[in-house]
Amino acid sequence: MSKEKIFALLSAQAGDFVSGEDISAQLGISRAAVWKAVKELQKQGHSIEAVPNRGYAMRSTSEVLSEQ
């Protein structure tokens, strides 16, 4: 699932912004799918910052995606 891949990608870049366009190109998914996955990760309590024209950045790193 793309949510897990986005989590891994943002965790690997811890603190650095990654554009939605770069994420979508790397994973072969749409930018809308990236946005939806990031929103789901935020709902799960992950601290992901979204800034227009910069992208997404993981603000607190956790090696666990969820309890499942």
Side-chain angles (χ1 to χ4, degrees), residues 4-68:
E4 289 84 2
K5 292 178 182 177
I6 291 170
F7 178 83
L9 194 144
L10 292 175
S11 293
Q13 299 291 325
D16 294 332
F17 282 94
V18 182
S19 75
E21 185 176 357
D22 288 345
I23 295 170
S24 68
Q26 287 182 39
L27 301 181
I29 59 175
S30 69
R31 287 171 52 186
V34 171
W35 179 82
K36 288 179 183 179
V38 168
K39 289 297 177 193
E40 285 297 315
L41 289 168
Q42 289 172 328
K43 284 182 187 177
Q44 290 178 350
H46 298 286
S47 180
I48 300 173
E49 184 177 3
V51 176
N53 298 318
R54 292 194 73 196
Y56 303 100
M58 182 77 70
R59 287 300 173 209
S60 63
T61 57
S62 170
E63 300 208 8
V64 178
L65 180 57
S66 68
E67 290 182 20
Q68 299 172 349

